[in-house]
Amino acid sequence: MEITNTETLPDREVIEVLGIARGNTVEARNVGRDITQGIRNVFGGELKAYSDLLTKARDEAITRMEADAEEMGADAVLNVRLETSQITDGGSEVMAYGTAVRLR
């Protein structure tokens, strides 16, 4: 499965647009992580635990988008975008979406 944020793939032709493929996940912080990251926030620097949490969420959203595209019979997902939003205090959603297509 080809996944790209561009509208086309070099040397490939889109023969059918299947629709929007999407995947999302909602991840929540945990108390232990909040305490350690709160201390780091006082002194400055990267909040590594939160960066890792968002990386995990992003990867999961892309994996779910890819599975959605496969169910549609796609060869690729073009024009992929990622969005995040706060769902609850301490919980964020990451969504991946793009155009599922068949290629020649």
Side-chain angles (χ1 to χ4, degrees):
M1 173 78 56
E2 301 268 359
I3 299 196
T4 182
N5 64 346
T6 61
E7 293 181 11
T8 60
L9 285 169
D11 303 322
R12 301 298 300 265
E13 178 185 354
V14 173
I15 58 172
E16 185 178 3
V17 174
L18 302 171
I20 297 173
R22 60 195 165 277
N24 70 311
T25 186
V26 176
E27 295 287 335
R29 304 179 317 211
N30 69 42
V31 174
R33 188 178 296 139
D34 285 350
I35 292 169
T36 61
Q37 295 309 286
I39 293 168
R40 176 155 294 158
N41 197 29
V42 170
F43 297 105
E46 179 184 8
L47 302 177
K48 182 93 168 96
Y50 291 153
S51 294
D52 292 345
L53 182 66
L54 284 172
T55 296
K56 177 181 171 269
R58 182 195 64 227
D59 292 346
E60 182 63 34
I62 290 170
T63 297
R64 290 178 182 180
M65 177 193 67
E66 185 176 2
D68 190 37
E70 286 175 356
E71 287 181 20
M72 299 164 86
D75 300 314
V77 183
L78 306 179
N79 211 20
V80 171
R81 300 291 182 254
L82 294 164
E83 291 187 11
T84 61
S85 61
Q86 183 176 341
I87 298 296
T88 66
D89 188 31
S92 295
E93 176 188 39
V94 176
M95 176 174 277
Y97 62 94
T99 305
V101 298
R102 285 199 181 113
L103 302 171
R104 181 180 328 253

